[in-house]
Amino acid sequence: MKMTEQFFTALRSLLTNRRRSILTVLGIVIGIASVITIISLGKGVEKATLKNLQASSSGKQSTVVDYYADDLNSTASGFEASDLALINASQASFGLVKADIVSDNDGSAESEASINGADQNVTVKLLKYPSSDLEILSGYNISKNNIMLADPVALISKKLATSFYSSVNQALDTSVTVNGISYQVIGIFKEDMELDDIAISKTVYERSNNGEAGNKLKLTFNRGENVSKQTKKIVSLLNKQGSHHLQGSYEHMDMGAILKGVGSVINGLTYFISAIAGISLFIAGIGVMNMMYISVSERTQEIGIRLAIGASPKSILLQFLLEAVLLTGMGGVLGFGIGCGLAWLISLFLPFRAVVGLESFILAFSVSAIVGIVFGIFPARQAAKKNLIDILK
């Protein structure tokens, strides 16, 4: 009998009693799904760690140091040009390629403003483009041309306008000073859910900082440097000699260490779940063996007929062995699919995404096939050893 014929014969035999086949293969599915889930999450942690530490394709690595002021109402920037000079003076000893102050003003910033001669701490909305979310009550919105030309114009909230002027309209065409730059008030907006007091062009605002102030410092290191160790040295230096070390603290969140800890937990879970999966696969293997023994017993007449028409014992052995491998192989593929789905679902609640590779599929299929061979060989040998005369009796 050709291999293709044996394959389809084995498939038909398994489909004859579908419920028994499904229940038998359930242990294989659970075991493989567990292993694939945890391996995929482990690879996700590894990839996230490398991505977090890798700054460029050349292998340079980067980290970020943050400044936190003791006074929560402080609007002063923690990093200035003097801090860059301090770090660059020891650049070689730290293995640094460069240090850059990063603007941490993604959409808003806390600043001190002068309105109608009075100083006030305000929240400033920084506009890269004209905002259609702001409902203008009086005057007009900041236009695209205003932003492109970096015009020093501003919008203020109704609350702010009524606090410093007798009416909303009276605030129009006045000036407000933010970060040392005087802006002309061209419009009043309704707050609603907005927490911002003033809206200005981000380009103009950052010019007032001269690009040399901020609360984040990006450090780029040479390839192969111990980034965590060197960053701690720089943080220690800043906390002793930084421009604002008396008004706050410089801190570094070692994401590499955090993800390494998560990786250790994942590895522990891998060993634990692998042990459970091993027990599950062993029990499933016994179930496969039991099913195959029952199948051999039920198909004694079929074996006798095949022997009578010239089938060899080797052909019968291969037939039953193929059934066992096909059964566990389908369980492995199904377990792989379920494992991938579970890993993806779990990763939605984690700071990284699961990674499934070709090697995971090969592992799932190989393990399930091996289980089929190991636990299917004995029933297959029993079927191959049956004697035609004993069957006829």
Side-chain angles (χ1 to χ4, degrees):
M1 185 182 289
K2 294 180 180 180
M3 182 60 72
T4 52
E5 293 178 4
Q6 287 184 323
F7 175 83
F8 286 111
T9 301
L11 187 60
R12 282 194 297 269
S13 298
L14 294 174
L15 293 176
T16 300
N17 197 328
R18 297 179 183 180
R19 184 176 299 175
R20 183 170 68 184
S21 298
I22 292 171
L23 292 175
T24 301
V25 83
L26 196 57
I28 300 288
V29 173
I30 294 172
I32 295 297
S34 302
V35 173
I36 294 301
T37 300
I38 204 66
I39 286 177
S40 300
L41 292 174
K43 287 185 177 295
V45 171
E46 182 181 0
K47 183 177 180 180
T49 302
L50 292 174
K51 183 179 179 181
N52 207 325
L53 296 179
Q54 200 75 15
S56 66
S57 58
S58 64
K60 293 175 183 176
Q61 303 169 89
S62 66
T63 56
V64 174
V65 178
D66 295 287
Y67 170 77
Y68 297 97
D70 294 333
D71 182 3
L72 298 179
N73 294 320
S74 173
T75 58
S77 297
F79 293 103
E80 297 178 357
S82 59
D83 296 306
L84 290 179
L86 175 66
I87 294 170
N88 289 331
S90 305
Q91 183 173 341
S93 62
F94 292 133
L96 268 177
V97 175
K98 62 178 178 177
D100 299 302
I101 295 175
V102 180
S103 172
D104 51 359
N105 305 313
D106 295 326
S108 63
E110 298 295 326
S111 184
E112 187 174 288
S114 177
I115 307 168
N116 200 18
D119 292 334
Q120 173 83 13
N121 288 328
V122 295
T123 301
V124 183
K125 184 180 183 70
L126 303 176
L127 302 176
K128 289 183 180 179
Y129 311 99
S131 176
S132 58
D133 297 332
L134 297 174
E135 182 182 344
I136 305 300
L137 300 176
S138 183
Y140 56 91
N141 202 346
I142 294 176
S143 67
K144 187 176 181 180
N145 284 336
N146 290 143
I147 293 176
M148 287 178 63
L149 298 173
D151 292 333
V153 293
L155 306 174
I156 65 172
S157 67
K158 178 183 177 182
K159 180 181 178 182
L160 202 63
T162 54
S163 297
F164 290 91
Y165 298 94
S166 57
S167 68
V168 168
N169 290 331
Q170 195 177 13
L172 289 174
D173 296 322
T174 60
S175 65
V176 56
T177 302
V178 179
N179 236 29
I181 298 292
S182 180
Y183 297 83
Q184 181 187 3
V185 178
I186 61 172
I188 312 297
F189 64 88
K190 185 179 179 182
E191 295 89 347
D192 288 336
M193 297 301 291
E194 293 283 346
L195 300 176
D196 303 303
D197 300 308
I198 300 175
I200 58 176
S201 165
K202 184 175 182 179
T203 305
V204 180
Y205 178 83
E206 291 186 341
R207 281 183 185 176
S208 67
N209 280 335
N210 297 320
E212 292 293 317
N215 288 319
K216 290 181 183 292
L217 181 70
K218 182 178 180 182
L219 304 172
T220 305
F221 294 88
N222 288 314
R223 184 173 186 172
E225 285 291 336
N226 187 328
V227 174
S228 179
K229 181 180 178 181
Q230 299 294 5
T231 304
K232 286 178 181 177
K233 288 182 180 179
I234 293 173
V235 170
S236 177
L237 176 65
L238 288 169
N239 280 319
K240 291 177 182 177
Q241 303 178 41
S243 59
H244 289 76
H245 72 282
L246 297 177
Q247 293 80 39
S249 61
Y250 299 91
E251 298 178 15
H252 160 60
M253 183 178 289
D254 192 346
M255 290 303 296
I258 293 172
L259 289 173
K260 186 177 180 181
V262 175
S264 299
V265 173
I266 293 291
N267 286 335
L269 287 173
T270 301
Y271 297 136
F272 177 71
I273 293 179
S274 295
I276 295 175
I279 296 171
S280 174
L281 290 172
F282 179 77
I283 295 172
I286 293 174
V288 170
M289 182 184 287
N290 182 56
M291 174 187 164
M292 294 308 299
Y293 271 125
I294 294 173
S295 181
V296 169
S297 177
E298 290 176 345
R299 293 161 62 188
T300 300
Q301 288 185 346
E302 177 191 329
I303 295 169
I305 293 171
R306 291 183 61 182
L307 288 172
I309 60 176
S312 65
K314 182 180 178 181
S315 174
I316 293 173
L317 183 144
L318 187 61
Q319 175 68 48
F320 282 90
L321 187 60
L322 187 60
E323 287 182 23
V325 173
L326 187 59
L327 185 67
T328 56
M330 288 190 296
V333 173
L334 186 59
F336 174 79
I338 293 174
C340 291
L342 280 174
W344 174 79
L345 187 64
I346 293 171
S347 68
L348 293 178
F349 303 96
L350 297 173
F352 55 86
R353 291 291 173 260
V355 176
V356 181
L358 179 62
E359 63 275 10
S360 298
F361 176 78
I362 295 172
L363 174 67
F365 188 78
S366 300
V367 169
S368 57
I370 290 171
V371 170
I373 293 171
V374 171
F375 290 94
I377 189 69
F378 297 104
R381 287 183 63 186
Q382 185 188 63
K385 287 181 179 179
K386 283 189 177 292
N387 188 284
L388 179 60
I389 296 175
D390 292 335
I391 294 173
L392 292 174
K393 288 180 181 181

